[in-house]
Amino acid sequence: MPNIRSQSGFTLLELMVVCVIVAILAAIGYPSYTAYVLRGELTEAKTNLADWSVRMEQYYQDNRSYQDASGACGAAGPAAASVKYFTYSCSVGNSGQTFTGTATGTGPTAGFTFTIDEAGDKATTTVPSGWTTAASCWVSQSNGSC
């Protein structure tokens, strides 16, 4: 008998099947991953607004007004080092007796707007398409849950 060498390896069909399986897994996993990353980016606004609210209350305790001498909010907004995905603004009303802190999303968080006021009331005023707003909390999930 002649010397027969056995050949080993994968056929083209086997490689194509593996590629299809990997593509299906990626198509399922990528949207979940991007949603997870977005939820992590939203925590910036929640953390900074909560901190700002505490500093506004401290300012009020010292000055009996949320408003400083120039008419702006008494406590400065979040430090530049902690700002990446949102811009922050503050408005004072009722002769310095009320305030509303607002975080507006930029870049990957565009479309999100979170607010907090002197009573500690939190609200999600705008969300991107596919998300549900929540008038009494800061949303964490696309279904509007907090």
Side-chain angles (χ1 to χ4, degrees):
M1 268 217 171
N3 235 352
I4 299 178
R5 297 172 74 189
S6 105
Q7 294 192 5
S8 63
F10 299 106
T11 66
L12 180 60
L13 182 60
E14 291 170 330
L15 290 175
M16 289 176 57
V17 168
V18 169
C19 288
V20 167
I21 291 171
V22 169
I24 290 171
L25 291 174
I28 292 170
Y30 184 73
S32 296
Y33 173 73
T34 56
Y36 175 78
V37 169
L38 178 60
R39 286 194 312 269
E41 292 165 348
L42 295 179
T43 60
E44 174 197 313
K46 299 169 188 179
T47 301
N48 285 337
L49 282 176
D51 177 62
W52 197 5
S53 176
V54 169
R55 289 186 290 114
M56 286 294 288
E57 290 301 323
Q58 290 170 339
Y59 185 87
Y60 184 84
Q61 291 298 316
D62 294 339
N63 301 286
R64 290 296 180 216
S65 176
Y66 293 110
Q67 190 172 18
D68 66 9
S70 68
C73 286
S82 66
V83 174
K84 186 173 180 183
Y85 302 109
F86 287 86
T87 59
Y88 299 89
S89 62
C90 181
S91 62
V92 180
N94 195 20
S95 301
Q97 298 304 301
T98 62
F99 80 91
T100 302
T102 304
T104 305
T106 60
T109 60
F112 288 97
T113 305
F114 300 112
T115 62
I116 192 166
D117 64 16
E118 75 285 344
D121 295 331
K122 303 170 186 174
T124 304
T125 55
T126 61
V127 291
S129 176
W131 283 68
T132 304
T133 60
S136 61
C137 66
W138 294 326
V139 296
S140 297
Q141 304 283 332
S142 61
N143 64 4
S145 63
C146 302

